Amino acid sequence: MVVSADTPTPDDIPARTVLDDQDISRALTRITHEILERNRDSCDVLLLGIPTRGVHLARRIAERMSEVEGRTITPGSLDVTMYRDDLRMRPARALEHTSIPEDIDGKTVVLIDDVLFSGRTIRAALDALNDLGRPQAVQLAVLVDRGHRELPIRADFVGKNLPTSLAEKVRVRLADHDDEPDSVTIVGGGS
């Protein structure tokens, strides 16, 4: 492919904001209520965020659940790096912290991530959970479902379904991680 001076590069294509901070807040509130409606006894629900941004989203959902339920709900985190099936294809990112606040046996575990794409991260999370115990059920909450699944995985709770092309990238920014206002943008893919 010949690139002329007039051909835009991915960095030249402006990002299109699809969710701002208020949209994200509303989506997380809705996800929180949907989790509580589906799981009548929140005492048996364990929230586990997938690093990095899934951990921050899990904290926010736990705060909202705590307000509704009138008791403290402590989220955890589940690093799936060593369970990924693409370790041979690209260098592994630095290991993150796994923190499980209580035994997962017999609990309903809600995995929380920012973007659901191919489904491979969630498959890795299921493998990691298998090594930790035997939950009664596993549910999935994501801020954005962008499609393009490579595995038969679907989210139970979705903030926003966002059909995208493979040429586009979905970028999630969270104030408590990125030092930028909360936003979801689409980058690339042409104008």
Side-chain angles (χ1 to χ4, degrees):
M1 177 171 109
V2 176
V3 177
S4 73
D6 297 332
T7 304
T9 64
D11 293 333
D12 297 330
I13 299 170
R16 183 171 41 109
T17 301
V18 291
L19 296 174
D20 62 19
D21 58 343
Q22 291 180 346
D23 297 326
I24 291 172
S25 179
R26 278 191 294 273
L28 293 178
T29 298
R30 183 172 29 78
I31 288 170
T32 300
H33 288 283
E34 289 174 356
I35 291 170
L36 290 171
E37 286 172 12
R38 181 168 304 172
N39 303 287
R40 293 284 179 205
D41 185 4
S42 67
C43 293
D44 289 332
V45 174
L46 177 59
L47 304 176
L48 294 180
I50 298 174
T52 54
R53 289 174 188 84
V55 173
H56 298 286
L57 295 172
R59 285 186 193 134
R60 292 182 189 188
I61 290 171
E63 288 170 8
R64 286 167 168 83
M65 285 178 75
S66 296
E67 290 172 12
V68 172
E69 294 291 288
R71 65 177 187 84
T72 302
I73 295 174
T74 305
S77 62
L78 180 66
D79 182 41
V80 302
T81 303
M82 297 312 294
Y83 293 88
R84 296 191 58 90
D85 63 2
D86 59 359
L87 289 176
R88 292 183 310 258
M89 293 184 257
R90 59 182 173 169
R93 67 177 188 181
L95 293 176
E96 298 283 342
H97 186 66
T98 290
S99 170
I100 311 294
E102 54 190 281
D103 187 16
I104 69 168
D105 289 337
K107 301 280 187 194
T108 297
V109 174
V110 181
L111 296 172
I112 300 171
D113 205 3
D114 56 351
V115 178
L116 179 57
F117 182 35
S118 67
R120 293 187 179 276
T121 298
I122 304 309
R123 188 222 31 97
L126 293 170
D127 288 347
L129 275 179
N130 191 47
D131 282 353
L132 295 171
R134 189 172 190 278
Q136 176 183 339
V138 179
Q139 298 170 355
L140 176 61
V142 296
L143 180 60
V144 173
D145 183 345
R146 66 170 290 190
H148 304 289
R149 218 73 76 241
E150 296 172 5
L151 299 170
I153 290 174
R154 105 182 140 74
D156 299 282
F157 314 103
V158 178
K160 174 89 171 165
N161 284 298
L162 192 60
T164 59
S165 78
L166 287 172
E168 295 172 316
K169 294 190 185 298
V170 174
R171 190 178 91 162
V172 176
R173 292 292 176 250
L174 299 175
D176 36 0
H177 180 267
D178 301 295
D179 295 325
E180 295 178 31
D182 288 359
S183 67
V184 175
T185 55
I186 296 178
V187 181
S191 52

